[in-house]
Short mmCIF file of all heavy atoms in Angstrom, two decimals:
data_model
loop_
_atom_site.label_atom_id
_atom_site.label_comp_id
_atom_site.label_asym_id
_atom_site.label_seq_id
_atom_site.Cartn_x
_atom_site.Cartn_y
_atom_site.Cartn_z
N PHE A 9 0.88 -1.19 -0.02
CA PHE A 9 -0.03 0.01 -0.02
C PHE A 9 0.91 1.24 -0.01
O PHE A 9 1.50 1.56 1.05
CB PHE A 9 -0.87 -0.01 1.22
CG PHE A 9 -2.11 0.79 1.12
CD1 PHE A 9 -3.10 0.69 2.09
CD2 PHE A 9 -2.31 1.73 0.11
CE1 PHE A 9 -4.31 1.42 2.03
CE2 PHE A 9 -3.49 2.48 0.12
CZ PHE A 9 -4.46 2.33 1.03
N ALA A 10 1.16 1.76 -1.18
CA ALA A 10 2.01 2.89 -1.34
C ALA A 10 1.35 4.27 -1.35
O ALA A 10 0.25 4.33 -2.01
CB ALA A 10 2.90 2.68 -2.60
N PHE A 11 1.92 5.29 -0.80
CA PHE A 11 1.39 6.64 -0.82
C PHE A 11 2.50 7.54 -1.30
O PHE A 11 3.65 7.37 -1.01
CB PHE A 11 0.98 7.05 0.63
CG PHE A 11 -0.16 6.32 1.21
CD1 PHE A 11 0.02 5.15 1.90
CD2 PHE A 11 -1.51 6.81 1.07
CE1 PHE A 11 -1.02 4.39 2.45
CE2 PHE A 11 -2.54 6.03 1.61
CZ PHE A 11 -2.29 4.94 2.30
N HIS A 12 2.07 8.59 -2.09
CA HIS A 12 3.02 9.61 -2.45
C HIS A 12 2.23 10.90 -2.91
O HIS A 12 1.20 10.73 -3.61
CB HIS A 12 3.83 9.11 -3.69
CG HIS A 12 5.18 9.70 -3.76
ND1 HIS A 12 6.32 8.92 -3.86
CD2 HIS A 12 5.64 11.00 -3.75
CE1 HIS A 12 7.37 9.67 -3.90
NE2 HIS A 12 6.98 10.95 -3.85
N GLY A 13 2.65 12.01 -2.48
CA GLY A 13 2.01 13.26 -2.92
C GLY A 13 2.27 13.56 -4.39
O GLY A 13 3.37 13.42 -4.82
N ASP A 14 1.26 14.04 -5.06
CA ASP A 14 1.38 14.32 -6.49
C ASP A 14 2.28 15.53 -6.78
O ASP A 14 2.76 15.78 -7.89
CB ASP A 14 0.07 14.46 -7.17
CG ASP A 14 -0.70 15.68 -6.72
OD1 ASP A 14 -0.41 16.20 -5.68
OD2 ASP A 14 -1.57 16.15 -7.54
N ARG A 15 2.59 16.36 -5.73
CA ARG A 15 3.39 17.55 -5.86
C ARG A 15 4.59 17.49 -4.97
O ARG A 15 5.16 18.57 -4.57
CB ARG A 15 2.51 18.76 -5.51
CG ARG A 15 1.39 18.97 -6.43
CD ARG A 15 0.66 20.26 -6.15
NE ARG A 15 -0.52 20.37 -7.01
CZ ARG A 15 -1.39 21.38 -6.98
NH1 ARG A 15 -1.30 22.28 -6.06
NH2 ARG A 15 -2.41 21.37 -7.81
N ASP A 16 5.10 16.32 -4.80
CA ASP A 16 6.29 16.12 -3.88
C ASP A 16 7.47 16.83 -4.55
O ASP A 16 7.92 16.58 -5.69
CB ASP A 16 6.57 14.66 -3.75
CG ASP A 16 7.53 14.38 -2.58
OD1 ASP A 16 8.48 15.11 -2.36
OD2 ASP A 16 7.30 13.35 -1.91
N SER A 17 8.07 17.76 -3.75
CA SER A 17 9.21 18.54 -4.22
C SER A 17 10.55 17.95 -3.68
O SER A 17 11.61 18.49 -4.02
CB SER A 17 9.10 19.99 -3.77
OG SER A 17 9.04 20.02 -2.36
N VAL A 18 10.50 16.86 -2.94
CA VAL A 18 11.73 16.25 -2.37
C VAL A 18 12.03 14.97 -3.07
O VAL A 18 13.13 14.71 -3.50
CB VAL A 18 11.53 16.11 -0.81
CG1 VAL A 18 12.82 15.41 -0.23
CG2 VAL A 18 11.21 17.42 -0.15
N VAL A 19 11.01 14.03 -3.13
CA VAL A 19 11.21 12.75 -3.81
C VAL A 19 10.20 12.72 -4.91
O VAL A 19 9.01 12.85 -4.69
CB VAL A 19 10.95 11.57 -2.79
CG1 VAL A 19 11.04 10.27 -3.51
CG2 VAL A 19 11.89 11.66 -1.63
N PRO A 20 10.65 12.51 -6.13
CA PRO A 20 9.73 12.54 -7.27
C PRO A 20 8.65 11.49 -7.14
O PRO A 20 8.94 10.34 -6.83
CB PRO A 20 10.60 12.30 -8.48
CG PRO A 20 12.00 12.60 -8.04
CD PRO A 20 12.07 12.30 -6.60
N THR A 21 7.38 11.91 -7.38
CA THR A 21 6.29 10.98 -7.34
C THR A 21 6.45 9.85 -8.24
O THR A 21 5.98 8.73 -8.03
CB THR A 21 4.98 11.76 -7.64
OG1 THR A 21 4.95 12.91 -6.86
CG2 THR A 21 3.79 10.91 -7.45
N ALA A 22 7.16 10.08 -9.36
CA ALA A 22 7.45 9.02 -10.36
C ALA A 22 8.10 7.83 -9.79
O ALA A 22 7.96 6.68 -10.24
CB ALA A 22 8.20 9.60 -11.51
N GLY A 23 8.94 8.05 -8.69
CA GLY A 23 9.58 6.87 -8.03
C GLY A 23 8.59 5.81 -7.58
O GLY A 23 8.82 4.63 -7.79
N THR A 24 7.49 6.29 -6.91
CA THR A 24 6.50 5.32 -6.52
C THR A 24 5.64 4.83 -7.69
O THR A 24 5.37 3.60 -7.82
CB THR A 24 5.57 5.93 -5.40
OG1 THR A 24 6.36 6.25 -4.31
CG2 THR A 24 4.41 4.98 -5.03
N ARG A 25 5.26 5.75 -8.52
CA ARG A 25 4.44 5.43 -9.69
C ARG A 25 5.17 4.39 -10.59
O ARG A 25 4.54 3.41 -10.98
CB ARG A 25 4.14 6.76 -10.45
CG ARG A 25 3.04 6.64 -11.49
CD ARG A 25 2.84 7.88 -12.23
NE ARG A 25 2.50 9.02 -11.44
CZ ARG A 25 3.14 10.18 -11.45
NH1 ARG A 25 4.18 10.35 -12.30
NH2 ARG A 25 2.84 11.13 -10.67
N ASP A 26 6.40 4.60 -10.81
CA ASP A 26 7.13 3.71 -11.65
C ASP A 26 7.25 2.29 -11.08
O ASP A 26 7.05 1.27 -11.81
CB ASP A 26 8.64 4.12 -11.89
CG ASP A 26 8.74 5.41 -12.71
OD1 ASP A 26 7.79 5.89 -13.38
OD2 ASP A 26 9.82 6.01 -12.72
N MET A 27 7.39 2.23 -9.78
CA MET A 27 7.52 0.96 -9.10
C MET A 27 6.18 0.15 -9.15
O MET A 27 6.17 -1.01 -9.45
CB MET A 27 8.07 1.16 -7.68
CG MET A 27 8.49 -0.13 -7.00
SD MET A 27 9.97 -0.76 -7.90
CE MET A 27 9.90 -2.44 -7.32
N VAL A 28 5.16 0.85 -8.77
CA VAL A 28 3.82 0.14 -8.78
C VAL A 28 3.42 -0.23 -10.16
O VAL A 28 2.94 -1.37 -10.40
CB VAL A 28 2.80 1.07 -8.10
CG1 VAL A 28 1.41 0.47 -8.27
CG2 VAL A 28 3.09 1.26 -6.63
N ASN A 29 3.68 0.63 -11.19
CA ASN A 29 3.34 0.24 -12.57
C ASN A 29 4.15 -0.96 -13.02
O ASN A 29 3.70 -1.83 -13.77
CB ASN A 29 3.58 1.44 -13.52
CG ASN A 29 2.50 2.54 -13.33
OD1 ASN A 29 1.38 2.19 -12.88
ND2 ASN A 29 2.76 3.72 -13.77
N ALA A 30 5.42 -1.03 -12.59
CA ALA A 30 6.26 -2.20 -12.99
C ALA A 30 5.74 -3.46 -12.34
O ALA A 30 5.76 -4.55 -12.95
CB ALA A 30 7.73 -1.88 -12.56
N ILE A 31 5.29 -3.38 -11.05
CA ILE A 31 4.75 -4.60 -10.42
C ILE A 31 3.50 -5.01 -11.17
O ILE A 31 3.30 -6.21 -11.39
CB ILE A 31 4.43 -4.24 -8.94
CG1 ILE A 31 5.73 -4.00 -8.16
CG2 ILE A 31 3.60 -5.37 -8.24
CD1 ILE A 31 5.54 -3.42 -6.76
N ILE A 32 2.65 -4.11 -11.47
CA ILE A 32 1.41 -4.41 -12.19
C ILE A 32 1.75 -5.07 -13.59
O ILE A 32 1.08 -6.05 -14.00
CB ILE A 32 0.51 -3.22 -12.31
CG1 ILE A 32 -0.01 -2.79 -10.96
CG2 ILE A 32 -0.67 -3.48 -13.35
CD1 ILE A 32 -0.67 -1.44 -10.90
#
């Protein structure tokens, strides 16, 4: 169950998005 803010200025949201999409 991953969470990430869409406007994260510290860690790119793409880091979580890429990982979950790769798992799927």
